């Protein structure tokens, strides 16, 4: 079992920055495909970024160049650095850890189907960006 707890959300103006954290316990994040996804009111879950066991990263087109995902194995924590935030980034942000690796965005979100292996998701942290 992996327990995931997100933090770092808040309210910012457009152009601002936030850093989300996802603290894990129960198992090492480096053993899983990990990532962030978000869900805005009335919209489907959307994969934002993933970091594979290898350390390779992948981003959604909508955040490429603005968001940076990283994993600190010593702290067993996943991060999402978000710069140049826009109102359309407003959503609840969730972190996830799952197998197999590498994982796809649909597997990360679990919106339509679950991955074949273990999968864990946090409770989310709210990000609100005002114009």
């Amino acid at each position: 079992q992996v327990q995931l707890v997100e933090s770092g959300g808040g309210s910012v103006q457009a152009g601002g920055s936030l850093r989300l954290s996802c603290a894990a316990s129960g198992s090492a994040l480096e053993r899983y495909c990990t990532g962030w996804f978000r869900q805005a009111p009335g919209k489907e879950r959307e994969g934002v970024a993933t970091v594979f066991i290898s350390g390779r990263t992948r981003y959604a087109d909508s955040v490429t160049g603005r968001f940076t995902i990283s994993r600190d194995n010593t702290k067993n924590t996943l991060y999402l650095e978000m710069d140049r935030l826009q109102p359309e980034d407003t959503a609840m942000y969730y972190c996830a850890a799952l197998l197999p690796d590498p994982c796809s965005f649909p597997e990360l979100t679990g919106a339509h189907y679950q991955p074949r292996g273990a999968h864990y998701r946090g409770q989310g942290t709210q990000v609100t960006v005002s114009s």
Side-chain angles (χ1 to χ4, degrees):
Q1 287 284 344
V2 179
Q3 291 77 45
L4 302 172
V5 180
E6 301 96 336
S7 61
S11 297
V12 296
Q13 290 192 328
S17 298
L18 282 173
R19 187 195 196 199
L20 305 184
S21 299
C22 172
S25 60
S27 186
L29 282 179
E30 61 186 310
R31 298 176 181 174
Y32 298 88
C33 183
T34 54
W36 293 89
F37 65 95
R38 64 189 180 185
Q39 187 167 26
K43 294 188 177 181
E44 284 199 351
R45 294 179 179 181
E46 176 191 19
V48 174
T50 53
V51 53
F52 303 144
I53 292 176
S54 66
R56 187 165 66 91
T57 58
R58 180 184 177 187
Y59 297 92
D61 290 343
S62 59
V63 307
T64 297
R66 300 188 299 122
F67 290 12
T68 303
I69 189 171
S70 62
R71 185 183 68 216
D72 187 330
N73 295 335
T74 62
K75 297 181 178 179
N76 208 22
T77 300
L78 187 70
Y79 300 99
L80 185 68
E81 182 74 38
M82 305 185 295
D83 298 317
R84 290 183 282 145
L85 283 161
Q86 299 301 317
E88 52 265 34
D89 295 316
T90 295
M92 185 73 80
Y93 283 71
Y94 302 86
C95 65
L98 53 123
L99 293 171
D101 174 82
C103 58
S104 65
F105 280 151
E107 290 171 323
L108 188 76
T109 66
H112 299 289
Y113 59 88
Q114 297 294 344
R116 299 190 306 275
H119 49 276
Y120 309 97
R121 300 180 182 93
Q123 295 300 306
T125 185
Q126 178 67 39
V127 172
T128 302
V129 185
S130 58
S131 57

